[in-house]
Amino acid sequence: MKFRPCIDIHNGQVKQIVGGSLKDAGNRAVENFVSDQNGAFYASMYKELNLKGGHIILLNPTSSEYYDKDVDQALSALRKWPGALQIGGGITPENAAFFLNNGASHVIVTSYVFSKGEFNRENLEKMKKAVGRDRLVLDLSCRKKDGNYYIVTDRWQNFTNYFLTPDLLNMLTSSCAEFLIHAVDAEGKASGIEEEIVDMMSSIDGFPATYAGGVGSYDDLYRLKEIGKNKVDVTIGSALDMFGGHLSLDKILQICAE
């Protein structure tokens, strides 16, 4: 299991938020931590520790007055460590090359592929043509409804008609390089992991997948490691000491490497 670092950007600042609280209207979110540092600071830290494969997420819509500031923060990180970090948030075939040319290793997509609640295979093919399968990450972040984990779009605010299953995951492996899956209702709460999601992710053999959401203790991390069969990667935000939490990054890296 690998630790994947994160840089979440909202209203032009590096933040940690409660994922389910994010609202486009008024650019609102419940904040756990707002950093005085910029994206380049965190990219430098990750570079020093050689923590490749992390993700930068732009949490404002492209229509927001803050989106350009989000992009500026992201570019400062990407240029600090070219080829090591992924980026998501408002990515389309039209702007993907811009981010790749400015240092992103991969682009991360949800809303463009799961458009208006439906799986749009034509859009997926357009993304693959624009960036190549090997540089495309599918974000299948989800929220529980009626007993299933439905994929959500538009910064986790809208439910699609598709829910997470091992069959869906295995079907999509041929169309991307890896998966990123936020358990949205646990995101930013440090309240424990969504074990059903991790179990589904563990069903994919030999395919990179990163889980995010709810890790609030070292026991949570050990539990994720067990259910994920030591092959589901993890990202942790609000619970980290560097983001105002109480978990040591050094200890987390130690557990992941065991």
Side-chain angles (χ1 to χ4, degrees):
M1 180 170 70
K2 297 176 183 177
F3 175 77
R4 304 286 198 103
C6 63
I7 303 174
D8 295 341
I9 303 171
H10 182 247
N11 293 356
Q13 295 176 287
V14 176
K15 293 183 182 180
Q16 288 295 317
I17 68 166
V18 176
S21 73
L22 190 62
K23 303 295 181 187
D24 288 350
N27 301 295
R28 292 179 290 121
V30 175
E31 299 169 344
N32 288 329
F33 177 82
V34 181
S35 180
D36 293 330
Q37 305 290 344
N38 65 5
F41 171 86
Y42 292 98
S44 295
M45 180 188 302
Y46 301 150
K47 182 178 181 180
E48 185 175 342
L49 295 168
N50 197 34
L51 296 176
K52 294 182 179 180
H55 55 273
I56 301 169
I57 302 295
L58 310 178
L59 293 171
N60 293 100
T62 56
S63 59
S64 169
E65 64 267 34
Y66 291 103
Y67 187 76
D68 288 344
K69 294 181 180 179
D70 292 355
V71 171
D72 287 343
Q73 283 278 16
L75 292 177
S76 76
L78 293 173
R79 291 166 178 166
K80 183 61 68 171
W81 196 15
L85 297 167
Q86 307 168 358
I87 189 166
I91 305 297
T92 66
E94 290 71 34
N95 64 15
F98 170 80
F99 292 107
L100 294 174
N101 291 339
N102 277 280
S105 65
H106 300 69
V107 292
I108 306 167
V109 175
T110 308
S111 300
Y112 185 76
V113 171
F114 288 86
S115 176
K116 298 179 181 178
E118 299 297 335
F119 174 50
N120 190 321
R121 184 171 291 279
E122 182 180 350
N123 280 3
L124 176 58
E125 292 302 318
K126 287 179 181 178
M127 282 303 311
K128 285 169 61 180
K129 184 176 181 180
V131 305
R133 171 186 177 272
D134 292 342
R135 302 190 79 178
L136 178 61
V137 176
L138 288 182
D139 183 339
L140 304 177
S141 296
C142 50
R143 309 182 79 163
K144 199 166 192 177
K145 182 178 73 169
D146 301 329
N148 291 306
Y149 284 97
Y150 281 83
I151 296 167
V152 287
T153 62
D154 307 299
R155 292 150 304 282
W156 310 324
Q157 294 167 83
N158 295 321
F159 282 84
T160 70
N161 295 320
Y162 289 78
F163 55 84
L164 211 61
T165 65
D167 285 345
L168 178 65
L169 291 173
N170 279 288
M171 183 267 288
L172 290 173
T173 56
S174 63
S175 296
C176 63
E178 60 183 81
F179 297 130
L180 171 64
I181 302 181
H182 293 81
V184 176
D185 290 326
E187 178 73 14
K189 295 183 178 179
S191 55
I193 64 171
E194 296 278 5
E195 296 188 1
E196 293 175 66
I197 297 175
V198 178
D199 185 54
M200 280 188 275
M201 294 173 71
S202 74
S203 70
I204 316 164
D205 288 325
F207 193 83
T210 301
Y211 171 86
V215 175
S217 68
Y218 300 121
D219 285 343
D220 288 336
L221 191 58
Y222 279 117
R223 184 65 176 152
L224 191 154
K225 193 178 181 77
E226 177 186 356
I227 298 172
K229 302 173 185 175
N230 204 30
K231 60 185 180 181
V232 176
D233 294 342
V234 63
T235 188
I236 303 171
S238 298
L240 275 179
D241 52 8
M242 61 192 244
F243 291 130
H246 61 281
L247 299 185
S248 160
L249 179 58
D250 289 341
K251 177 68 172 177
I252 287 168
L253 294 178
Q254 176 190 329
I255 293 171
C256 288
E258 289 174 359

